[in-house]
Amino acid sequence: MLFPDYRPRRLRRTEALRRMIRETILTTNDLILPLFTVSGKNIKNPIASMPGHYQLSVDNLVKLAEKVQEIGIPAIMLFGVPEKKDPLATRAYARDGIVQKAVKALKDRLPELVIITDVCLCQYTDHGHCGFVDGHTIDNDASLDLLAKTALSHAQAGADMVAPSDMMDGRVAEIREALDENDFSHIPIMSYAAKYCSAFYGPFRQAAHSAPQFGDRRTYQMDPANALEAIREVTMDVEEGADIIMIKPALPYLDVIARIRQEIDLPMAAYNVSGEYAMIKAADKMGWLDGQKAMMESLIAIKRAGADMILTYFAIEAAEILQS
Ligand code: PBG
């Protein structure tokens, strides 16, 4: 197909023509909004590096979740910011922990909204790592029981889905077993399957107070240089019983999203992380680009690469545009 016989511009001439040949459609159904919850009443602490986002006490969280449901976003991903941290992350699996309380309140008020809980230890450990720490090493196998307990406690509180983000080996199998043994065989696992060790999590760590107190996460999160390893990571989680697999971050890893889409037939999520959000917000504030357009372009790119659903701090803003 060579010029002048083929002229791609013929089908770009009007908006109607462009609509007719559009390959990728983003809808509100594709969006999942991450939210942060803290204890207390009527709290709405702004997160400086994530304009428009807050740490919310449960009462305010429920109010925002009502809006989320109203606008048609099917699900939220919930992160807890506990009052106390300790070496064993006990507040991660406490019956009266912040996530457990928030899930109960959300399900009471909004039974239809899908509540996904992030399962990790880093917000709950005093050292800020995602697993059990022995000296200065993160002990993989000693972490599994704590993670399974955490996931189970979320399910007991009423969570619709659990999402382990710790990147310990073998956690999906351990969580599946704990859920199945306790009559939660109907609760799906969304595994953060290929989660890279990324600088783009910076704003999140401010929001969740979860920065590691020593070292970094390179011994458990993936090396940004690796794509084949993502196939092994994802395959492993599928074999262990994951129902939805996630790639994270999204924009710097579109090649990984596209590659995993070819390899795996499970539903796939991509996490458009805090730093991806912050970059667009900052550039928009400086007047250096059009934030709304950059947001919609980013989301369509993530979908085009192959993601079925997108975790994004832009969920409400994007849904508003999609519906206008
Ligand atoms: C917890 C967790 C992190 C994110 C989601 N779950 C931070 C991290 O791994 O340090 C990052 C989300 C974001 O940046 O938006 N392990």
Side-chain angles (χ1 to χ4, degrees):
M1 289 197 293
L2 281 181
F3 177 79
D5 290 339
Y6 181 60
R7 291 175 180 267
R9 289 186 53 195
R10 277 182 200 132
L11 293 176
R12 292 181 200 143
R13 197 170 48 84
T14 68
E15 177 54 19
L17 285 168
R18 291 191 290 271
R19 267 170 46 210
M20 287 168 70
I21 63 158
R22 188 154 293 148
E23 298 171 34
T24 309
I25 309 288
L26 184 73
T27 80
T28 305
N29 293 333
D30 305 327
L31 306 172
I32 301 171
L33 177 67
L35 291 172
F36 302 94
T37 187
V38 288
S39 54
K41 271 215 172 71
N42 199 21
I43 291 174
K44 191 176 173 186
N45 297 330
I47 301 163
S49 50
M50 300 173 68
H53 283 272
Y54 304 85
Q55 295 176 334
L56 299 169
S57 51
V58 174
D59 49 344
N60 283 336
L61 176 76
V62 172
K63 271 186 221 153
L64 182 56
E66 281 168 4
K67 183 170 168 195
V68 170
Q69 170 157 299
E70 221 166 276
I71 200 164
I73 295 168
I76 64 165
M77 169 77 91
L78 191 60
F79 294 93
V81 185
E83 274 172 301
K84 271 184 286 182
K85 300 173 189 268
D86 60 47
L88 284 175
T90 53
R91 300 307 295 166
Y93 41 87
R95 202 175 272 274
D96 62 348
I98 181 64
V99 166
Q100 291 78 358
K101 281 202 265 193
V103 168
K104 273 190 206 110
L106 286 164
K107 289 314 289 185
D108 277 352
R109 186 77 194 78
L110 300 159
E112 295 299 313
L113 185 67
V114 176
I115 312 295
I116 311 171
T117 53
D118 180 85
V119 174
C120 199
L121 305 180
C122 58
Q123 291 110 277
Y124 304 89
T125 50
D126 47 10
H127 46 69
H129 279 287
C130 305
F132 177 76
V133 164
D134 185 7
H136 270 195
T137 54
I138 292 89
D139 183 337
N140 191 86
D141 296 11
S143 307
L144 300 181
D145 178 51
L146 302 179
L147 291 161
K149 275 207 290 213
T150 303
L152 178 59
S153 75
H154 292 176
Q156 284 165 338
D160 296 293
M161 195 183 303
V162 292
S165 69
D166 53 284
M167 287 299 278
M168 297 299 125
D169 300 334
R171 78 275 164 75
V172 173
E174 195 91 0
I175 290 171
R176 186 69 271 159
E177 193 182 315
L179 292 174
D180 290 355
E181 279 172 358
N182 289 278
D183 293 325
F184 291 107
S185 59
H186 59 290
I187 297 296
I189 299 175
M190 172 191 278
S191 83
Y192 288 68
K195 177 173 174 182
Y196 286 88
C197 190
S198 174
F200 290 95
Y201 307 152
F204 173 95
R205 291 179 190 167
Q206 262 181 24
H209 301 305
S210 66
Q213 297 304 301
F214 67 88
D216 52 41
R217 304 207 200 289
R218 275 183 292 182
T219 67
Y220 45 105
Q221 297 181 346
M222 283 181 62
D223 183 337
N226 296 353
L228 290 173
E229 190 188 358
I231 301 175
R232 296 198 293 277
E233 274 283 4
V234 172
T235 305
M236 200 178 158
D237 285 8
V238 173
E239 284 169 0
E240 287 180 34
D243 299 277
I244 298 174
I245 48 151
M246 188 208 295
I247 312 297
K248 179 183 173 198
L251 287 179
Y253 298 88
L254 292 180
D255 61 319
V256 177
I257 295 172
R259 199 142 171 181
I260 297 297
R261 177 72 301 160
Q262 304 289 320
E263 302 278 337
I264 307 284
D265 61 4
L266 282 185
M268 178 172 59
Y271 201 140
N272 177 225
V273 300
S274 57
E276 300 173 51
Y277 176 82
M279 281 196 299
I280 290 181
K281 286 290 176 193
D284 178 77
K285 193 172 165 194
M286 295 298 287
W288 290 346
L289 51 64
D290 180 328
Q292 273 198 356
K293 287 195 174 132
M295 161 182 82
M296 295 312 278
E297 184 177 335
S298 300
L299 296 175
I300 205 78
I302 297 165
K303 181 116 192 251
R304 188 195 65 232
D308 300 300
M309 50 199 110
I310 306 170
L311 293 111
T312 179
Y313 302 96
F314 287 121
I316 292 179
E317 274 178 80
E320 279 165 355
I321 291 179
L322 289 170
Q323 285 162 30
S324 70

